[in-house]
Structures are given as structure tokens and as C-alpha cells.
Amino acid sequence: MMSDDSTTRSEGSSGYVSSEGSFERKSHYIPERITRDGRDGFPVEPGRYRLAVSRACPWAHRTILTRHLLGLEDAISMAVAGPVHDEDSWTFDLDPGGVDPVLGIPRLKDAYDARPEGYPDSGITVPAFVDTTTGRVVTNDFHQMVKDLVTEWGDHHAPDAPDLWPEHLRDEIEEVSDLVYADVNNGVYRCGFAGSQEAYNEAFEQLFSRLDWLSERLADQRYLVGDQLTLADVRLWPTLVRFDAAYHGHFKCNRHKLTEMPVLWAYARDLWQTWDFGSTVDLEHVKAHYYATHRDINPTGVVPLGPDTSGWTTPHGRESLR
């Protein structure tokens, strides 16, 4: 049984549910980092590292967005796993012969197994940086990876790249991001994998209370923190873009659809259009993953045909906000 979209370990009604019935995410990640000074043995070096992702996964989507916004596509190549993994690993079944053309492996687990020191019990997760010179995973700490793309890879950013983590806003960015992570990013999973009615009710109320708070915050400002795009927006948006396709029905987050929350719907469309977030999205992969792999929630594995996505390119009307 496979449940979370970043890992091949079970996160359904058994392995990741507490005795009280609440979902508990395992969060032990590989601590090594790719840095300018190479202090962990992995210096920043264009062309050396490959970013392994799935387009289904919201945690991987953060790194895809950040790489895109900073113009790092030429410096960091990307391996895209298929949306439906097996019980042990994300697989590169989208590539010819089912083998990643750069890493030369069929399964991401092969790169994890190449680590002589092993890896944490969080499992075979995406995103992950793989060192192409050794074939081993360097890190899978999605939170640190995004910040390091901003701070450690600055010499290779595009000239017009936005400053996604400006020093004068960092405390507020992290404060807002922590709230969003607990109640929204992880909150949808707490709803979907709740093992009791009480745990579901609590997660549901916290999720929509935070979405209401976000709607109020964004009613008069274009971005979550300050007057510019930041990592706070990058962290929230992958959950919003998946909301109607997966979380509303599959995870029972059904007080409202995103398209029924006017401020958040306009905000999400703004980023899709203005910053080209839309080019990083594959909702068919999203639906295939959630509905076909979470068999404890969707035993038939039937994948829905909807929702209609044409509204994403309609005018958002947020240009005048600052």
C-alpha cells in the first residue's frame, strides 16, 4: 500500500497513523547539502547534479518551480519519474526502455542504494538530488533544497531571476510558510489519511480555517509576503493547483473547491499566468498518482476524467494589487 506522493512507503491508514487516528508524516531526510564551499563534499557545479522528481508530487513541484523561476535548467538537469510507482521505488518508466538517460538506472531506489551510509526511514522520496559522478543521492530534504537553490546557486541564476528569499523578509516568509505547511500543505494529507472521524474533523477545520486566513491576507495584496513573489508563494501554490483535481474529492477536502474560493482562485491563476507556473504542471500525472496508488482510499484505482482546467487561463484581475 502506497500513499504519500513523495515516497513509496505506506502513509495510509496503518503505517503513518497514530493511535488517535491522526496522520503523522515521517520527516527524517538526508542532511547533506550542495553548497558553494562544498563543505559536505558536494560543491555547486553546473551539470554535475540531476534533480529527480515526479510531476505528481507537490514537494517535488516546489523544486521544479524554483529551478524554473531562477533559470537553472541548464545548470541542473531533471529526471522525471512516472506518476505511478511500485511498492519499492519511483521508476523512470517515461523514458525509452524505462531507464533514465543520464543516470542509467530504471529506479530511483538504485541511486538511494548507492549511498554507502544508507538513507533515513522516510523512504525513497522525491525530490532528490543525484550526483551524476557517483550515481548516489546527495539529499532529499525538499525544504532545504529549495532554499539552497536560491542561496547556493546564485552565480548561475538567470540575470532577471526573482529574489525568492530576500533577507529582509525571511523571518516572515518562514513564519507564514510554517503555518501553511502545517494546516494546508500537510493538512490535506491529514484529512485524506485520517484514521478516525475525530482526526478528520480536526484536520478539515484547520485546513479551511487557514484557507480563509489566506483569502483574507491575499484580498488586498498580490503575494503572500511583501510586494514580491517569494518562497512562501512557491510553497503554497503546488497544493492549490492540485486541490480540485485531487484533494477536494480524493482527500475529502470538500467544503469548497478552489474555483469556489474567489481570492485564492484568482491568486492561483495569477501565478499560473504571470510567472508561467502553468508550464510546470501536469494534472494528468497528479490524478494518475493519487487515484491509482492510494488504493486504501480508492480501492478500484479508477482515475477521474475531470475537472475542467480551461479556467486557469481566464483573466485573474490582480494586476493592480501590490
Side-chain angles (χ1 to χ4, degrees):
M1 181 173 57
M2 300 165 289
S3 301
D4 183 14
D5 41 72
S6 69
T7 179
T8 56
R9 294 290 185 90
S10 169
E11 292 194 11
S13 58
S14 55
Y16 281 63
V17 175
S18 72
S19 58
E20 292 78 30
S22 58
F23 168 75
E24 296 181 347
R25 180 178 299 280
K26 291 188 176 181
S27 56
H28 297 94
Y29 298 100
I30 299 168
E32 282 84 4
R33 296 169 57 193
I34 300 169
T35 56
R36 277 192 175 96
D37 61 11
R39 56 185 174 272
D40 291 337
F42 303 100
V44 166
E45 185 180 327
R48 175 172 173 176
Y49 305 99
R50 191 153 171 84
L51 175 62
V53 302
S54 164
R55 294 194 183 277
C57 172
W59 319 110
H61 200 170
R62 296 177 176 201
T63 60
I64 296 170
L65 282 170
T66 306
R67 171 179 175 267
H68 167 69
L69 289 165
L70 299 179
L72 288 169
E73 292 93 337
D74 291 338
I76 303 171
S77 65
M78 193 163 74
V80 180
V84 182
H85 52 60
D86 62 30
E87 292 191 6
D88 293 323
S89 181
W90 292 94
T91 60
F92 298 113
D93 52 312
L94 301 176
D95 293 307
V99 173
D100 179 80
V102 174
L103 300 176
I105 56 176
R107 300 148 57 81
L108 183 57
K109 185 176 187 296
D110 296 334
Y112 275 84
D113 287 341
R115 289 179 53 83
E117 61 273 71
Y119 49 89
D121 62 2
S122 54
I124 310 302
T125 65
V126 291
F129 274 131
V130 181
D131 182 355
T132 63
T133 67
T134 62
R136 58 169 284 176
V137 167
V138 175
T139 184
N140 63 347
D141 186 345
F142 65 88
H143 187 69
Q144 188 64 49
M145 288 167 68
V146 169
K147 290 194 288 189
D148 284 346
L149 287 174
V150 174
T151 60
E152 303 296 327
W153 289 82
D155 292 343
H156 308 285
H157 290 177
D160 59 348
D163 184 358
L164 295 174
W165 205 41
E167 288 195 25
H168 70 288
L169 294 176
R170 286 183 183 179
D171 288 346
E172 187 177 0
I173 290 169
E174 295 310 302
E175 178 183 357
V176 169
S177 295
D178 286 347
L179 295 172
V180 168
Y181 173 83
D183 297 338
V184 180
N185 301 142
N186 198 46
V188 294
Y189 288 91
R190 292 176 60 232
C191 290
F193 294 139
S196 71
Q197 189 67 51
E198 293 76 13
Y200 166 76
N201 291 353
E202 179 182 6
F204 183 95
E205 293 300 327
Q206 289 178 348
L207 167 64
F208 281 98
S209 176
R210 185 60 62 195
L211 290 174
D212 290 342
W213 179 83
L214 288 167
S215 290
E216 292 177 9
R217 184 179 183 94
L218 289 164
D220 299 313
Q221 64 187 62
R222 194 166 186 179
Y223 301 109
L224 267 179
V225 177
D227 60 357
Q228 65 186 89
L229 185 76
T230 70
L231 286 182
D233 303 292
V234 170
R235 291 162 176 163
L236 170 61
W237 197 83
T239 300
L240 296 183
V241 78
R242 288 163 175 74
F243 203 89
D244 291 2
Y247 305 142
H248 179 270
H250 187 58
F251 278 175
K252 309 180 190 71
C253 302
N254 60 359
R255 193 192 77 179
H256 293 102
K257 298 176 182 176
L258 175 65
T259 55
E260 296 167 344
M261 295 181 275
V263 172
L264 291 179
W265 175 221
Y267 163 79
R269 298 200 316 277
D270 185 3
L271 299 190
W272 175 295
Q273 298 168 31
T274 304
W275 292 95
D276 195 30
F277 278 26
S279 69
T280 68
V281 176
D282 192 322
L283 290 177
E284 294 306 312
H285 279 209
V286 169
K287 291 188 296 181
H289 174 77
Y290 281 92
Y291 286 93
T293 64
H294 299 167
R295 292 301 183 95
D296 49 339
I297 297 174
N298 186 39
T300 66
V302 173
V303 178
L305 295 177
D308 179 10
T309 60
S310 60
W312 281 99
T313 56
T314 60
H316 54 79
R318 291 177 61 84
E319 296 89 348
S320 63
L321 295 178
R322 291 293 180 265

